[in-house]
Amino acid sequence: QYFQLRLKCYIRFRLMSLQQFVFAALLPVFALPMAYKWGVSGFIVGQAIGALLVCLLIVFWDPLKITSSWDWWALKNLVKTGFPIMLAGLLYSLLTSVDRWVLLNFLGVEALGHYTLAILCLGVLSLLPAVVAQQMYPRMAFRFGQTRNKQSLLPLIIRQSLMGTVVTVPILVVAYVVLPFLVDRYMPAYRLGIEPARILLVGLGFIPLAGGVGNFLNTVGKQGYYLAVQAGAVLINFCLDVLFVKLGWGLNGVALGAALSYALYAIILIIVGLWVMRKVE
């Protein structure tokens, strides 16, 4: 993570992409044989070996001169800036996982197993807007550092939201259409998870729309608004999931609650972002 962030901050995305591809290639080489031999523990050790080799490759490709220094004032400012950003990432993870907790608590392990199909779709397809966000975030920070003008970030916000949507939505549509065929053909035990997965795919289509706004709020130091919207979305997700389960809608109800919360999260975050941009301070 440190080396990735270093490359990202210097906008060296070619090397960053290359190391991600290398890690993807190394992971099965080490993790799968070790998982076969020693189970989950072997898989984790295999991941660690792959990550270590990638770090060594980055140092070879991009030699680093690391020096140590200690500055309490700088540390205080870094924590003050970084802690809310870390919380934003934590709340987003909670937003996209609270439905699983509800399923496990109310419908049991077997239902959660069927819901794995929806979880898989969410995890894989969420990578697409995340890749776009990684490209745009340092550029937003660079421009705001130059101009100190919130309005100057509007083109980058729009570009990120449009790019994230353009690369994500067509794949979501394809996945929505072909998912029943693929499951019937290759994973028939997961048939009960087809409809929940398709419902969640619809909700996921809203997430890229708000990506640029989230980066904007982090960049201009308004993480408090970002955290408030995320916390509200988590609460909405939880309440809708529980309500729909109580109504007897089962897996489809949980997926619907999650999808609606994603849509509301995106809409509310966009409204808040526009308000912050126009607010005179």
Side-chain angles (χ1 to χ4, degrees):
Q1 288 297 314
Y2 168 76
F3 290 126
Q4 283 187 10
L5 287 173
R6 173 186 167 86
L7 295 174
K8 186 189 301 184
C9 290
Y10 282 100
I11 314 184
R12 303 192 66 179
F13 287 106
R14 186 187 67 82
L15 282 179
M16 186 176 172
S17 300
L18 186 58
Q19 64 89 20
Q20 289 176 329
F21 277 113
V22 171
F23 181 69
L26 290 177
L27 181 61
V29 172
F30 293 101
L32 293 183
M34 297 183 75
Y36 180 78
K37 181 69 175 178
W38 294 293
V40 175
S41 298
F43 182 80
I44 294 172
V45 173
Q47 280 186 313
I49 293 173
L52 176 61
L53 291 176
V54 167
C55 291
L56 295 175
L57 283 173
I58 294 175
V59 173
F60 177 75
W61 289 329
D62 184 31
L64 308 175
K65 183 180 180 181
I66 300 177
T67 59
S68 61
S69 63
W70 194 260
D71 187 329
W72 284 106
W73 182 84
L75 178 64
K76 179 182 176 181
N77 283 327
L78 287 170
V79 171
K80 182 179 178 181
T81 302
F83 190 73
I85 297 175
M86 182 196 72
L87 285 181
L90 180 63
L91 279 176
Y92 181 79
S93 298
L94 188 59
L95 172 64
T96 55
S97 61
V98 68
D99 50 345
R100 306 166 203 181
W101 297 4
V102 172
L103 267 175
L104 184 62
N105 186 65
F106 287 95
L107 299 178
V109 175
E110 185 175 346
L112 182 60
H114 290 300
Y115 197 72
T116 301
L117 194 61
I119 297 172
L120 180 63
C121 291
L122 178 66
V124 172
L125 296 176
S126 293
L127 291 174
L128 299 173
V131 169
V132 176
Q134 287 181 343
Q135 294 277 344
M136 301 306 298
Y137 191 17
R139 289 174 169 83
M140 283 190 190
F142 183 79
R143 180 170 297 184
F144 187 67
Q146 281 185 318
T147 65
R148 309 304 299 179
N149 182 359
K150 294 184 292 187
Q151 298 285 341
S152 69
L153 301 182
L154 184 58
L156 294 176
I157 297 171
I158 295 173
R159 187 187 306 173
Q160 178 180 333
S161 298
L162 287 178
M163 288 175 61
T165 302
V166 167
V167 300
T168 303
V169 170
I171 299 178
L172 290 177
V173 173
V174 172
Y176 187 93
V177 173
V178 305
L179 192 62
F181 169 77
L182 293 177
V183 173
D184 285 336
R185 176 80 182 210
Y186 300 106
M187 298 185 295
Y190 287 89
R191 285 195 181 100
L192 290 178
I194 293 175
E195 283 307 310
R198 297 177 91 188
I199 293 171
L200 206 61
L201 286 173
V202 175
L204 184 58
F206 288 89
I207 295 294
L209 293 172
V213 180
N215 280 351
F216 162 72
L217 293 174
N218 276 334
T219 299
V220 300
K222 299 298 181 182
Q223 296 94 342
Y225 297 106
Y226 194 13
L227 294 174
V229 174
Q230 289 181 314
V234 170
L235 182 61
I236 291 171
N237 193 351
F238 175 78
C239 292
L240 289 178
D241 291 347
V242 173
L243 173 63
F244 293 157
V245 167
K246 293 291 187 181
L247 290 174
W249 294 0
L251 291 174
N252 291 349
V254 172
L256 179 60
L260 288 174
S261 69
Y262 297 165
L264 289 172
Y265 161 73
I267 293 169
I268 295 171
L269 190 62
I270 290 171
I271 294 171
V272 169
L274 291 174
W275 177 77
V276 169
M277 180 171 291
R278 294 175 181 175
K279 184 180 178 183
V280 178
E281 298 179 351

